[in-house]
């Protein structure tokens, strides 16, 4: 298996760094090929703008998605974006390692999505959801939180973690064609004991050992939607 | 009223640009004071890192939140962050104008949240939700989408827009103490007719005219949560 780890944390000594290091070592030991995009170390450009293209089709009126299509057709992405796209093409499994900041990914990782998941590459022209450009690949989030698990529940003050991650799981990863494995979450790591951290590392290993046998989150494929892209009656909750 | 507009779009001629321009003009005409943070024009730094502090309390092990607390107590934020904090202190109303990218805010706006909504400034030490540091202020999202409204519904292929915006509305804005007004959404603007765009501008004006009388989204205050920060029985759905 070819595994790409997209890692977003500014401090190598952090628990996120430890989880990333463990994934690299453990996946390699299991005989997988591993590449890492360490976004902070790469000083990855987070902001989608004109500089993302070697040449623009319309410099007078900058439309990001139209330039993405044009760049997809003509090989005009900036080298940093093209390199990440190459890693994605190569990967069978993509692991995202990050701290949950403001109930979402850190800006540097959002920028990676904004820029690399380009129209014409992962979606557009009939490519989306289970027909997305990244079809056949698996993805998994591995994240740390500030608060404990019980406050990220339906009646907990922060709300249900599945609802919080829905825009990422369904809107970014499944939208692009990937099967999305349930997330690995290390809760409240800043206040966790050393023993708890060891347990998290052990649990994470188990998750990495069972990537191929883990059932993805059961999102609806395109075939479940009918007229006006509404869920057909037989698939409604 | 003091109104801060946080605007994130790379093309001034875009419909997002038109909505921002309309908000500036119309709010000013209504007698409000208006400031704009045009994140692209400012080349706003999106990535949270060591450079966000004039001085670090612990350069050996960089912990972003601890440095934010330290910087809050000692006035050590970088000048770009300090300037945005000053605008937030000044504002009674904060309008966020952006295109929905990947079911969330563009990375440059996520970076504004990551960096400016600092621990010690908007949350921490008992400050959160209706006791958050931005208490007494109102916020509103004004966004454009790629797809039409009907696909952003519970049974639509993209999912319920309220669920998609929950991490922003509840997790970023309400968490920080602000009352959150229902969003203004211009759907499918890339394929909208000129007449539809005119209607959107007219509807947007109406929303700007009724900021003070619009009921905020009814999120639960802290007092509705009991033991373990779980919703008390009487407030459950």
């Amino acid at each position: 298996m070819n595994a790409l780890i997209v890692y977003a944390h500014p401090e190598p000594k952090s628990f996120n760094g430890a989880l990333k290091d463990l994934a690299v070592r453990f996946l390699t030991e299991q005989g997988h090929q591993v590449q890492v995009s360490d976004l902070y170390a790469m000083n990855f450009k987070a902001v989608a703008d004109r500089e993302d293209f070697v040449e623009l089709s319309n410099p007078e009126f900058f439309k990001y998605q139209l330039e993405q299509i044009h760049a997809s057709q003509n090989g005009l992405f900036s080298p940093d974006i093209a390199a990440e796209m190459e890693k994605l093409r190569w990967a069978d499994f993509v692991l995202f390692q990050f701290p949950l900041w403001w109930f979402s990914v850190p800006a540097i990782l959002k920028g990676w999505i904004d820029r690399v998941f380009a129209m014409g590459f992962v979606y557009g022209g009939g490519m989306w959801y289970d027909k997305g450009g990244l079809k056949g690949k698996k993805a998994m989030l591995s994240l740390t939180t500030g608060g404990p698990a019980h406050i990220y529940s339906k009646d907990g003050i922060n709300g249900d973690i599945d609802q919080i991650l829905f825009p990422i799981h369904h809107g970014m990863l499944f939208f692009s064609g990937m099967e999305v494995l349930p997330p690995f979450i290390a809760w409240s790591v800043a206040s966790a004991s050393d023993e708890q951290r060891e347990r998290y590392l052990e649990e994470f290993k188990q998750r990495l050992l069972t990537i191929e046998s883990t059932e993805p989150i059961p999102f609806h494929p395109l075939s479940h939607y009918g007229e006006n892209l509404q869920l057909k009656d037989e698939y409604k909750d």
Side-chain angles (χ1 to χ4, degrees), chain A:
Chain A
M1 195 174 71
N2 292 338
L4 171 61
I5 301 172
V6 183
Y7 162 65
H9 198 288
E11 174 54 65
K13 295 174 197 158
S14 64
F15 195 62
N16 271 273
L19 289 165
K20 181 265 292 173
D21 289 345
L22 182 148
V24 172
R25 200 174 60 243
F26 192 67
L27 290 171
T28 304
E29 282 170 15
Q30 300 297 310
H32 304 301
Q33 302 298 311
V34 179
Q35 289 194 71
V36 179
S37 289
D38 181 342
L39 302 184
Y40 271 91
M42 293 157 73
N43 196 19
F44 190 77
K45 177 174 174 285
V47 176
D49 62 18
R50 291 168 176 256
E51 306 305 316
D52 293 352
F53 309 98
V54 173
E55 190 186 294
L56 294 175
S57 69
N58 185 1
E60 305 306 314
F61 194 143
F62 178 63
K63 294 187 176 179
Y64 198 68
Q65 288 178 312
L66 295 189
E67 296 299 342
Q68 286 181 319
I69 295 170
H70 182 68
S72 295
Q73 289 164 346
N74 299 285
L76 296 173
F77 287 105
S78 61
D80 62 337
I81 292 177
E84 296 306 300
M85 288 176 165
E86 205 43 63
K87 292 178 194 167
L88 268 176
R89 283 191 196 94
W90 167 89
D92 303 305
F93 173 64
V94 185
L95 178 71
F96 294 88
Q97 180 65 55
F98 63 95
L100 192 69
W101 281 358
W102 290 105
F103 299 87
S104 188
V105 295
I108 199 170
L109 178 49
K110 181 54 167 50
W112 188 89
I113 298 280
D114 287 347
R115 301 177 66 229
V116 180
F117 277 23
M119 191 166 192
F121 175 53
V122 311
Y123 73 104
M127 292 193 293
W128 65 337
Y129 293 114
D130 51 310
K131 291 187 177 157
L134 303 180
K135 197 173 50 180
K137 304 176 190 298
K138 291 175 196 282
M140 181 175 134
L141 303 183
S142 171
L143 56 132
T144 60
T145 67
H150 69 268
I151 75 171
Y152 290 92
S153 61
K154 181 176 170 297
D155 292 319
I157 195 166
N158 281 357
D160 182 359
I161 191 70
D162 291 333
Q163 181 172 0
I164 291 161
L165 297 179
F166 178 82
I168 306 173
H169 279 149
H170 188 268
M172 301 179 198
L173 305 178
F174 182 59
F175 187 97
S176 304
M178 293 195 270
E179 292 192 309
V180 186
L181 304 188
F184 173 76
I185 307 178
W187 305 98
S188 291
V189 288
S191 57
S193 63
D194 285 350
E195 291 71 26
Q196 181 56 55
R197 286 167 183 246
E198 286 299 329
R199 279 197 297 275
Y200 278 138
L201 294 171
E202 203 48 52
E203 281 174 37
F204 189 45
K205 267 194 195 175
Q206 288 305 313
R207 288 298 311 275
L208 296 174
L209 207 53
T210 54
I211 292 164
E212 290 170 74
S213 61
T214 300
E215 282 295 311
I217 301 173
F219 291 128
H220 291 285
L222 289 167
S223 64
H224 287 195
Y225 295 90
E227 210 179 344
N228 280 323
L229 296 168
Q230 302 299 301
L231 210 51
K232 293 175 184 170
D233 283 343
E234 62 262 45
Y235 300 112
K236 287 182 184 168
D237 294 338

